Amino acid sequence: MTTLELQEELAKLYNKNASHIAEDTSELINKHRQQAFEDFKRLGIPSKKNEDYRYTDLMSYLKGEYSYEIAPSKFSVDLDDLFRCDIPELDTFIVLVLNGFYYKQNNPVGLPEGVIISSFAKASIQYPEIVNRHYAKYADTKLDSLAALNTLFAQDGIFIYIPKNIKIDKPIQIINIGFSFKNLRITRRNLFVIEQDSSASLLICDHTLCPRSFITNSLTEIYTGDNASFNVIRMQNENGNSSQISNTFVYQEANSRFSSNTISLHGGLIRNNTFAKLNGEGALNKTYGIFFGDNDQHVANYTHIHHAKPHCESDQLFKGILDGNSTGAFNGKILVDKFVVKTQAYQRNNNILLSKTARMNTKPQLEIYNDDVKCSHGATVGQLDENALFYLRSRGISNQEARHLLMYAFADEVIADIKLDPLRQRMNEMIEKRLRGELARCENCKVHHLGN
Amino acid sequence: MLNIKNLHVAIEGKEILKGIDLTVKLGEIHAIMGPNGSGKSTLAAVLAGRDLYEVTEGEVTFEGEDLLELSPEDRARKGIFLGFQYPVEIPGVSMVNFMKTAINEQRKFNNLQPISATDFLKLMREKKEVVEITSNLTNRSVNEGFSGGEKKKNEIFQMAMLDPKLAILDETDSGLDIDALRIVANGVNKLRREDNATIVITHYQRLLEHIIPDYVHVLYRGKIVKSSGKELALELEEKGYDWLKEE
């Protein structure tokens, strides 16, 4: 299958189902589809000739037979019984998304007044003003065809709204589930709006529940108002047959603080594109990630941090551990506009290759159009430190254990940034299991026990 | 306990040790001295199992067993300890986790249950006193940001924790001020017993004012050219190494 054939197939799929796809979303959403369709047709599926996808061979993961569901899946199993995430001492407002659709239309209870956590489709009808103010405002469908594709097919996902002056201590948690009896294409669309002087943290867990292949196209738009604070921790843990392309667009107002920590634990293809626009003075952006690859997995992180106003700071840190035939890519772009002075922008990407066949491509891309900027970037690709390894072994620690300690330590720099103690602990446990080659799963999360 | 016979060692085809003979018995302290580049650190590294070096000839037995056949970790578990000249910084691995793992691997090797949390903390507290470590090691990463003196103290602390039969201290005195030198030497002396042994590798005599050796060996161009009692160290201090070259 060529990129063109896939493009035609998807266009056909849309044309056939257009009216159904637009059925449950409001006109605010639907009015963007036509433009997205044109963008998608013009841009096509990115091939390796596309500079941004040079190291991500999308087609080798996206080809094949996949079904598409234009309505929420119906199962006879009791999902409430299955989806029980109990990270000790971590109490969250929890919502579930099954194959791209909000699962059960009842919102979490006990939310502070005015806070909304709901289905994206439903929100587009119930809260048109908020949705209209933000939807498709940050995601540029002209730049990325997969963003265009998402806007074309967007039906559901999660909508979060935190009004002014609200600080939610209890984290919000979204569990994205892939579960099907057939290989499935999934589209997910999220919109998170954190208004002025508010703060919240969000945990996103991506799981597949069965060994079927899933191709997920996920797009999230995030708005942080003046002096707002939003922290997103994401754990991507899908089966090795599945592909996930995630576009995240962040728009930050003055003095807002946005941080993300993406833990790509497992998956066939994981491609994360993060676009951030720092559009108010004093905004702070932290984009962190740690990824693991083995077998034939591919993990790619693309960032695009745009400093559009002076006195902002951005900090990127991505670390990767690759084994087997896995491949990874990091492309970190920092764009600082003219007259955007007193900018601080940092970027670092460190990678460890555990096998001779694992490969990593890393590329910093700095475009800076003024002189009053503090900026640094660095990238390394290497093996485990032989001196450190010998030091540990000389104390009686086995070679294998010493390697685990060093890999774990390598990951720690990213994980240490997670502020929620129970969650950080859980992530550490998951990573430790992952490094030991055990199936990384939360002990009590019943989600996994069905599929594997 | 340790028998080195005609040991030849090369790195990348270049011979560094050219026939070392050395016997160390329980209760003894041996000092190995010599100018830079004589092969002192190579000897230490080979005994600890560093695989950068190739043993081309000779044999080493430890308690009757072929040492050269063993992995670095097995040598450590059998009671060999190397105090590094340049202790390695390992960011992200905490001292506590490091020591706990090391102790438990040793215990596993001796068919013992893992150490309990309270016993471990007690042991840490006790052994920190040996080298007068007052800072909180618990949350610090292995050697990360340690001063030169702290790193060396940390080596002796680890030695105290692991209680080896044979400790090989490679230039433990280098880079130490006089107070740190005293503390490190005291630590070594406190750990000295009738049922263990120590090899002290040093360039200068000053460490041997604090750790009194039973034997002093001079290593020069890959060979032990002279062995004698502790008075040899003083002679070296006085005359330097040049007179040996002529002999």
Side-chain angles (χ1 to χ4, degrees):
Chain A
M1 188 187 260
T2 64
T3 51
L4 203 66
E5 283 164 351
L6 179 60
Q7 187 188 348
E8 277 168 9
E9 187 189 309
L10 290 169
K12 239 184 256 167
L13 182 68
Y14 177 75
N15 282 327
K16 198 176 138 201
N17 297 290
S19 60
H20 287 297
I21 286 170
E23 211 166 59
D24 292 325
T25 43
S26 79
E27 185 49 29
L28 302 173
I29 307 304
N30 298 337
K31 70 181 180 189
H32 293 280
R33 297 189 198 278
Q34 194 50 44
Q35 181 62 47
F37 204 6
E38 277 159 32
D39 290 336
F40 175 66
K41 282 192 271 193
R42 182 171 48 80
L43 294 165
I45 301 283
S47 73
K48 289 182 81 177
K49 283 182 203 150
N50 180 319
E51 186 56 30
D52 285 345
Y53 285 84
R54 206 171 131 196
Y55 301 116
T56 302
D57 186 7
L58 276 182
M59 277 314 290
S60 68
Y61 295 93
L62 299 190
K63 63 190 177 199
E65 294 276 314
Y66 286 85
S67 306
Y68 196 83
E69 291 179 353
I70 46 160
S73 314
K74 288 181 179 63
F75 294 114
S76 54
V77 287
D78 185 355
L79 290 169
D80 273 343
D81 186 47
L82 286 170
F83 304 139
R84 212 171 269 159
C85 180
D86 78 352
I87 295 177
E89 295 160 52
L90 184 71
D91 188 16
T92 59
F93 295 112
I94 197 163
V95 283
L96 302 169
V97 176
L98 175 64
N99 298 337
F101 291 91
Y102 189 98
Y103 176 70
K104 279 201 174 178
Q105 301 282 341
N106 48 353
N107 300 343
V109 287
L111 286 169
E113 173 113 31
V115 172
I116 304 160
I117 304 174
S118 82
S119 144
F120 169 80
K122 203 169 152 191
S124 76
I125 292 160
Q126 283 187 327
Y127 313 103
E129 279 151 48
I130 308 170
V131 172
N132 197 36
R133 226 169 21 236
H134 300 285
Y135 181 74
K137 293 286 188 297
Y138 317 120
D140 192 344
T141 56
K142 288 180 180 60
L143 280 179
D144 191 289
S145 72
L146 295 160
L149 189 63
N150 185 285
T151 304
L152 180 62
F153 280 92
Q155 281 183 275
D156 204 4
I158 295 292
F159 173 75
I160 296 175
Y161 181 72
I162 319 277
K164 279 182 192 175
N165 282 314
I166 299 229
K167 297 198 173 11
I168 312 187
D169 294 327
K170 189 161 138 178
I172 301 160
Q173 183 177 12
I174 299 172
I175 301 187
N176 291 312
I177 305 278
F179 181 45
S180 170
F181 299 102
K182 293 174 285 190
N183 292 348
L184 198 63
R185 255 180 232 294
I186 294 172
T187 300
R188 270 201 308 260
R189 182 77 179 212
N190 302 312
L191 177 60
F192 308 146
V193 177
I194 319 299
E195 295 281 22
Q196 193 180 326
D197 296 313
S198 289
S199 78
S201 56
L202 171 69
L203 166 64
I204 305 173
C205 303
D206 299 333
H207 295 296
T208 46
L209 246 168
C210 58
R212 290 272 164 262
S213 294
F214 296 88
I215 295 175
T216 304
N217 181 327
S218 151
L219 194 154
T220 302
E221 288 179 284
I222 298 172
Y223 171 87
T224 56
D226 285 359
N227 199 33
S229 164
F230 193 41
N231 172 227
V232 179
I233 295 148
R234 179 165 188 189
M235 192 193 50
Q236 301 175 301
N237 195 13
E238 299 197 332
N239 70 37
N241 305 321
S242 291
S243 303
Q244 184 181 111
I245 296 141
S246 287
N247 276 295
T248 305
F249 295 84
V250 185
Y251 185 92
Q252 293 186 245
E253 301 279 19
N255 297 311
S256 63
R257 297 167 302 282
F258 174 79
S259 64
S260 67
N261 210 317
T262 303
I263 298 135
S264 307
L265 214 52
H266 200 273
L269 166 82
I270 298 175
R271 165 86 189 202
N272 298 319
N273 300 329
T274 306
F275 301 83
K277 187 168 186 180
L278 282 64
N279 207 46
E281 293 200 9
L284 176 72
N285 178 290
K286 252 173 125 172
T287 304
Y288 279 22
I290 176 96
F291 53 94
F292 303 88
D294 52 20
N295 298 317
D296 293 312
Q297 295 172 20
H298 177 77
V299 190
N301 283 287
Y302 273 58
T303 62
H304 185 291
I305 312 292
H306 180 184
H307 284 259
K309 289 279 154 59
H311 295 281
C312 293
E313 185 180 333
S314 66
D315 180 16
Q316 301 174 56
L317 173 65
F318 280 85
K319 295 186 114 178
I321 301 180
L322 299 174
D323 201 353
N325 295 319
S326 66
T327 53
F330 173 74
N331 190 114
K333 186 166 178 176
I334 297 171
L335 171 64
V336 183
D337 289 347
K338 208 173 173 182
F339 309 121
V340 177
V341 294
K342 307 291 174 203
T343 292
Q344 294 184 61
Y346 309 105
Q347 180 191 95
R348 190 151 56 87
N349 171 230
N350 303 118
N351 310 284
I352 289 181
L353 303 182
L354 297 175
S355 71
K356 286 199 170 78
T357 44
R359 286 213 352 247
M360 179 71 201
N361 290 292
T362 175
K363 186 170 131 195
Q365 219 182 326
L366 277 59
E367 283 182 35
I368 298 166
Y369 296 101
N370 79 78
D371 291 335
D372 195 359
V373 167
K374 236 167 115 182
C375 191
S376 73
H377 65 93
T380 58
V381 180
Q383 281 81 41
L384 288 175
D385 180 354
E386 284 295 327
N387 289 322
L389 213 50
F390 178 66
Y391 191 75
L392 295 170
R393 292 177 71 190
S394 79
R395 302 303 184 238
I397 298 170
S398 70
N399 188 26
Q400 199 191 18
E401 192 63 35
R403 291 173 73 85
H404 280 146
L405 277 174
L406 292 181
M407 287 191 271
Y408 191 65
F410 179 79
D412 185 66
E413 193 185 1
V414 174
I415 301 304
D417 201 60
I418 298 174
K419 302 285 180 297
L420 297 159
D421 286 348
L423 188 60
R424 189 178 56 249
Q425 232 166 318
R426 175 53 56 95
M427 288 305 158
N428 273 328
E429 287 165 23
M430 300 280 282
I431 285 173
E432 199 172 332
K433 281 186 191 167
R434 176 72 170 91
L435 293 174
R436 287 181 196 285
E438 292 166 28
L439 269 178
R441 51 167 69 152
C442 294
E443 284 292 319
N444 297 308
C445 181
K446 293 188 180 178
V447 160
H448 300 283
H449 297 286
L450 190 72
N452 288 294
Chain B
M1 67 185 331
L2 179 75
N3 267 300
I4 304 175
K5 273 187 203 149
N6 190 32
L7 181 68
H8 290 252
V9 172
I11 181 164
E12 287 166 0
K14 190 176 172 248
E15 192 166 52
I16 300 191
L17 298 182
K18 301 167 182 170
I20 303 276
D21 292 286
L22 182 69
T23 301
V24 178
K25 297 200 180 75
L26 286 176
E28 294 177 347
I29 294 185
H30 288 246
I32 296 179
M33 301 183 72
N36 289 330
S38 57
K40 303 188 299 289
S41 289
T42 301
L43 178 61
V46 166
L47 293 178
R50 188 82 215 238
D51 59 5
L52 290 171
Y53 304 95
E54 190 196 348
V55 175
T56 51
E57 210 183 324
E59 59 172 58
V60 180
T61 59
F62 179 68
E63 297 189 313
E65 198 176 354
D66 183 357
L67 188 69
L68 301 175
E69 287 290 299
L70 301 174
S71 65
E73 52 267 36
D74 276 344
R75 296 180 199 203
R77 291 162 186 166
K78 284 179 189 285
I80 288 184
F81 178 88
L82 172 66
F84 283 62
Q85 181 178 3
Y86 304 108
V88 184
E89 294 194 15
I90 312 180
V93 177
S94 72
M95 273 306 295
V96 164
N97 198 12
F98 171 43
M99 277 292 103
K100 203 182 225 165
T101 308
I103 293 268
N104 282 334
E105 291 248 357
Q106 195 183 42
R107 292 177 66 92
K108 194 164 88 188
F109 186 75
N110 294 317
N111 292 317
L112 293 169
Q113 290 296 310
I115 192 165
S116 74
T118 47
D119 284 351
F120 178 75
L121 288 175
K122 204 174 135 225
L123 188 69
M124 287 270 287
R125 230 183 357 254
E126 224 175 87
K127 302 303 180 187
K128 270 165 70 177
E129 283 172 18
V130 173
V131 276
E132 302 174 31
I133 293 178
T134 47
S135 65
N136 185 9
L137 282 177
T138 320
N139 301 316
R140 295 181 77 178
S141 290
V142 178
N143 293 320
E144 192 190 27
F146 285 30
S147 69
E150 281 179 314
K151 281 182 184 167
K152 295 301 173 77
K153 279 197 221 173
N154 191 22
E155 292 296 289
I156 307 304
F157 165 70
Q158 292 169 43
M159 174 180 159
M161 288 292 286
L162 296 169
D163 191 21
K165 290 180 193 157
L166 174 66
I168 304 155
L169 305 177
D170 186 10
E171 307 262 4
T172 298
D173 52 335
S174 67
L176 291 186
D177 62 32
I178 197 73
D179 288 333
L181 183 76
R182 183 187 50 76
I183 290 169
V184 163
N186 280 347
V188 175
N189 288 330
K190 281 182 216 164
L191 297 172
R192 182 177 190 180
R193 289 199 310 258
E194 279 308 307
D195 62 347
N196 64 18
T198 309
I199 298 174
V200 181
I201 291 172
T202 181
H203 185 81
Y204 302 105
Q205 184 264 345
R206 66 173 190 161
L207 178 65
L208 304 179
E209 287 172 9
H210 301 274
I211 302 172
I212 311 296
D214 300 297
Y215 300 95
V216 176
H217 312 276
V218 179
L219 191 61
Y220 181 66
R221 287 191 177 169
K223 278 188 158 172
I224 289 177
V225 294
K226 200 167 177 69
S227 293
S228 187
K230 63 183 179 227
E231 64 285 352
L232 180 58
L234 289 167
E235 207 174 335
L236 287 168
E237 183 73 1
E238 207 176 297
K239 299 186 191 167
Y241 290 106
D242 287 346
W243 62 281
L244 282 166
K245 295 176 190 171
E246 285 149 27
E247 278 194 4

